[in-house]
Amino acid sequence: MSYDAIQAETVTIGGHDGDRIEAYQARPLGPGPFGAVVVIHHLPGYDRESKETVRRFAAEGYLAVCPNLYSRQGAGMSHEEAAKLVRARDGGISDEQLIGDVTGAAAYLREQTSSNGKVGCIGFCSGGRQAFLAAANVDLDAAVDCYGAFVVGNPPADAPLRARGILDQAPNLRCPLLGLFGNDDQFPSPDEVATLEKELSRLGKPHEFHSYDGAGHAFFSVDRPMYRPEAALDGWSKILDFYGRNLN
């Protein structure tokens, strides 16, 4: 069910190590109960695109929240300044912090009076890798990885993201995983996607992957040249169907 009335606002939630961090939440103005989604922002930061995704989930009938993963390093900065600082100084946030911040966001959503107790997560680009990481370490009911790079393999030496491959986390996957990828992407490449799918199948982990011809990295991003409307529209339909089956 779609909701034409939603409430969206900036809130403070608990994060890793008990820190209080900024987050953006939206919820449908209805009685519920609603499933919920943690939106993990991409490396460019806690930006308008990420907040639009939060509002879209609310309009689709979900509680949603996007924790500002750069709250600690970039307090008082614009999202562009904070992202630049975190990339240059830290190469992104640590995996431990990500797990703690998503755990806090999921707990915040479950505490809402209109929650049905089920929480999923979604991430794009670096957030896709982090969604996979969260699915292996946080109590979640569904996870969506949108072209998450470096789940398989490590970044190039000159990449701004200091991360390692996390394929070794696959045995710990706690919930169904939806993966959406572009066949023209190199991060992750089609071969890396195939390696991940093969490993999940070997382990018997519930998953479904979809890859799109003519689409590369960031094909969901409407304000970028990489946007591919046909792939993005089909991808959104896959996301909503997946969450409908796992969160409602």
Side-chain angles (χ1 to χ4, degrees):
M1 179 176 179
S2 295
Y3 286 80
D4 59 3
I6 65 171
Q7 180 179 5
E9 60 186 334
T10 299
V11 296
T12 300
I13 67 173
H16 179 59
D17 269 351
D19 294 341
R20 302 298 292 172
I21 62 172
E22 180 182 356
Y24 185 76
Q25 74 159 16
R27 63 182 181 87
L29 293 181
F34 303 114
V37 179
V38 178
V39 177
I40 304 173
H41 67 68
H42 51 181
L43 196 62
Y46 177 72
D47 57 4
R48 178 177 56 81
E49 184 177 354
S50 301
K51 294 178 180 180
E52 286 176 348
T53 301
V54 171
R55 292 194 296 272
R56 174 158 190 171
F57 279 119
E60 296 289 352
Y62 294 92
L63 307 173
V65 68
C66 177
N68 182 356
L69 303 176
Y70 305 159
S71 283
R72 302 159 181 83
Q73 302 94 329
M77 296 180 179
S78 69
H79 80 266
E80 296 97 340
E81 292 171 329
K84 182 178 180 180
L85 172 66
V86 171
R87 286 197 303 269
R89 192 183 72 184
D90 305 318
I93 66 164
S94 71
D95 289 349
E96 292 76 16
Q97 182 195 310
L98 182 281
I99 292 167
D101 285 354
V102 173
T103 297
Y108 174 83
L109 290 168
R110 289 194 174 101
E111 290 167 358
Q112 305 306 301
T113 57
S114 56
S115 169
N116 70 3
K118 294 185 177 182
V119 179
C121 74
I122 187 170
F124 302 81
C125 188
S126 63
R129 174 189 177 276
Q130 291 167 331
F132 182 87
L133 182 68
N137 292 276
V138 182
D139 182 17
L140 296 170
D141 299 283
V144 181
D145 168 3
C146 297
Y147 37 81
F150 314 125
V151 172
V152 177
N154 297 317
D158 59 351
L161 181 63
R162 295 174 196 156
R164 66 170 183 85
I166 51 173
L167 188 60
D168 60 351
Q169 295 281 323
N172 303 325
L173 206 68
R174 302 184 185 187
C175 64
L177 176 72
L178 171 66
L180 301 171
F181 308 97
N183 281 328
D184 292 346
D185 201 346
Q186 289 305 305
F187 300 107
S189 69
D191 286 345
E192 289 171 336
V193 172
T195 296
L196 176 57
E197 184 163 30
K198 182 178 179 180
E199 180 66 0
L200 293 176
S201 296
R202 184 187 72 82
L203 294 167
K205 298 296 183 178
H207 68 283
E208 55 184 272
F209 282 9
H210 303 276
S211 295
Y212 296 94
D213 291 334
H217 202 69
F219 64 79
F220 276 100
S221 298
V222 298
D223 295 335
R224 302 185 188 186
M226 302 86 90
Y227 180 51
R228 297 294 181 268
E230 186 174 347
L233 288 170
D234 188 74
W236 270 111
S237 72
K238 296 284 195 300
I239 291 165
L240 295 175
D241 175 70
F242 179 73
Y243 280 157
R245 287 182 278 118
N246 290 287
L247 299 183
N248 290 330

